[in-house]
Amino acid sequence: MTGFAYLGALVVSLGGLAVLDRRFRLAFWADPARTAITLVVGVLFFLAWDVAGLALGIFARGDSPHMTGLQLAPELPVEEAVFLTLLCYNTLLVWRFLDLRLRGRGRREAARPATGTAGTAGTARTTTRPTGPAEVGKTSDGPTTGAGA
């Protein structure tokens, strides 16, 4: 049974990422088709990278009692594909979280009214001034000057 320990840990980790994704609607729960395409392209790229490394003798499959022994290709264990899926999914979720966080901050800063003027030390005071004929004669909440005030 220990032969599936690593694969099981990878699958549990993927499940945890899916829970986070659902909670914050970052990837699959925001745009399933785009997320699936992104993950497939990423995993295929890294699998091709692994195959090239194996062919050149740069990479080698290590033996471990915690692996299944199942292989996608010579020297390419099934666990590698699951790990690459975990890696790509994790990276995508972090990217989406940071992207949404920075966009939200930018929107909040753009929506924030300009505050502070010379002499007010960062406090804003709003005044309402008449803008047209219908507004003439209405009082304002701000400071006023003049003879009738």
Side-chain angles (χ1 to χ4, degrees):
M1 194 65 184
T2 62
F4 285 89
Y6 179 52
L7 183 61
L10 291 172
V11 170
V12 167
S13 298
L14 277 169
L17 289 177
V19 168
L20 286 172
D21 184 8
R22 184 172 189 268
R23 164 65 178 90
F24 295 104
R25 298 190 183 281
L26 296 170
F28 273 115
W29 276 265
D31 192 345
R34 190 183 315 188
T35 300
I37 290 169
T38 302
L39 287 180
V40 167
V41 168
V43 170
L44 289 177
F45 171 79
F46 284 117
L47 281 174
W49 182 294
D50 281 352
V51 168
L54 288 168
L56 294 171
I58 298 170
F59 302 147
R61 179 181 163 271
D63 287 325
S64 171
H66 303 290
M67 294 176 64
T68 62
L70 302 172
Q71 295 184 18
L72 297 173
E75 300 293 316
L76 186 63
V78 169
E79 291 86 356
E80 182 70 9
V82 179
F83 170 74
L84 292 174
T85 303
L86 177 75
L87 178 72
C88 290
Y89 193 27
N90 187 37
T91 304
L92 178 62
L93 292 181
V94 169
W95 176 264
R96 288 283 299 145
F97 177 78
L98 293 175
D99 183 47
L100 291 172
R101 186 85 156 177
L102 292 175
R103 280 190 198 179
R105 181 182 299 159
R107 262 190 247 124
R108 284 190 304 269
E109 288 175 1
R112 186 178 306 153
T115 60
T117 58
T120 60
T123 58
R125 187 174 279 189
T126 59
T127 61
T128 307
R129 296 205 169 112
T131 57
E135 297 290 321
V136 175
K138 290 187 178 179
T139 61
S140 69
D141 294 336
T144 58
T145 60

